[in-house]
């Protein structure tokens, strides 16, 4: 009897599922919550079945996502066993913030960081965007120094970096191995490794 080649068996065994990923995020202290996912039928169809969904496969399943996001491994496992294709949504402004920049600008900045031996922290590819995960500044007492950002809205104070979005409080991002409406996967360029996240202002210097 001819067996399955070891390389093929190894590849199949090590392929990450969504539940594997959310459990790894939980081990880092990163809460997550299930998101909608794009459907195979029809262009830009979303699993939420909302007619004309403005953001197919790129939003939480529940409007109560902010309250539901958790690191509870038992709950996460139940959620993704029930919805194995659900995308992975990570709330920002808790453990980390995320700089969300156009692809070319992000790859250029990452290349410069590498050349200077600057620790970029976790970095993800997100279609035509690059996401830089940085330490959050949380809820500072001086509200003039911070803001509660809306999704896909760049802070008006960052005029030097058009197209930059700073996901902080009350926001979220899709994390690997989510799938975009285009069929592209969200994937890690620099996966999280448990080391402290970089200072957001230092990373912002590189992006600017």
């Amino acid at each position: 009897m001819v067996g399955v080649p070891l390389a093929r068996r190894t590849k199949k065994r090590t392929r990450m599922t969504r539940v594997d990923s959310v459990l790894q995020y939980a081990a880092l202290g990163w809460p997550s919550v299930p998101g909608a996912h794009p459907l195979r039928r029809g262009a830009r169809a979303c699993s939420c079945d909302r007619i004309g969904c403005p953001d197919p496969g790129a939003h939480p399943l529940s409007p109560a996502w902010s309250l539901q996001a958790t690191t509870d491994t038992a709950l996460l496992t139940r959620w993704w066993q029930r919805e194995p294709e659900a995308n992975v949504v990570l709330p920002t402004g808790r453990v980390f913030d995320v700089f969300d920049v156009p692809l070319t600008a992000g790859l250029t900045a990452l290349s410069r960081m590498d050349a200077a031996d600057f620790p970029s922290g976790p970095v993800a590819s997100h279609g035509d965007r690059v996401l830089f995960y940085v330490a959050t500044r949380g809820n500072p007492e001086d509200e003039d120094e911070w803001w509660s950002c809306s999704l896909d809205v760049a802070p008006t104070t960052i005029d030097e970096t058009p197209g930059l979005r700073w996901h902080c409080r009350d926001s979220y991002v899709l994390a690997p191995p989510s799938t975009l409406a285009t069929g592209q996967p969200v994937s890690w360029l620099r996966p999280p490794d448990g080391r402290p996240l970089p200072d957001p202002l230092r990373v912002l210097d590189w992006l600017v």
Side-chain angles (χ1 to χ4, degrees):
M1 179 178 178
V2 178
V4 178
L6 178 61
R8 286 177 58 190
R9 283 186 282 141
T10 301
K11 182 177 181 181
K12 183 176 181 180
R13 184 170 59 248
T14 58
R15 184 178 180 181
M16 293 291 290
T17 65
R18 283 163 166 74
V19 69
D20 291 332
S21 296
V22 297
L23 294 179
Q24 287 191 358
Y25 297 147
L28 293 170
W30 295 9
S32 57
V33 70
H37 64 274
L39 299 178
R40 294 182 179 86
R41 67 174 189 274
R44 295 179 62 81
C46 181
S47 65
C48 72
D49 272 346
R50 176 181 174 185
I51 297 176
C53 175
D55 209 6
H59 59 83
L61 283 176
S62 170
W65 63 269
S66 182
L67 297 175
Q68 293 177 344
T70 184
T71 58
D72 184 318
T73 57
L75 184 55
L76 293 169
T77 300
R78 287 200 300 272
W79 281 344
W80 266 273
Q81 285 178 339
R82 188 167 62 238
E83 295 282 349
E85 292 186 85
N87 276 339
V88 180
V89 172
L90 302 180
T92 54
R94 300 184 185 186
V95 180
F96 52 80
D97 293 346
V98 171
F99 289 126
D100 174 348
V101 300
L103 180 64
T104 300
L107 295 180
T108 299
L110 184 58
S111 177
R112 290 173 177 170
M113 290 179 187
D114 289 345
D117 201 26
F118 176 83
S120 66
V123 182
S125 171
H126 187 283
D128 61 356
R129 313 285 298 182
V130 176
L131 308 185
F132 291 80
Y133 287 64
V134 298
T136 184
R137 294 179 67 191
N139 301 289
E141 294 181 3
D142 186 351
E143 289 298 329
D144 291 337
E145 294 184 359
W146 207 239
W147 53 86
S148 178
C149 61
S150 299
L151 292 176
D152 300 335
V153 175
T156 57
T157 54
I158 308 181
D159 298 328
E160 301 90 344
T161 313
L164 182 144
R165 305 164 184 167
W166 191 331
H167 295 271
C168 47
R169 289 182 295 166
D170 304 327
S171 188
Y172 58 79
V173 293
L174 285 188
S178 298
T179 303
L180 303 174
T182 59
Q184 294 174 283
V186 181
S187 57
W188 288 114
L189 300 175
R190 301 289 187 275
D193 56 12
R195 286 184 289 182
L197 297 172
D199 182 283
L201 298 183
R202 294 192 66 192
V203 173
L204 184 59
D205 284 340
W206 287 97
L207 298 177
V208 171

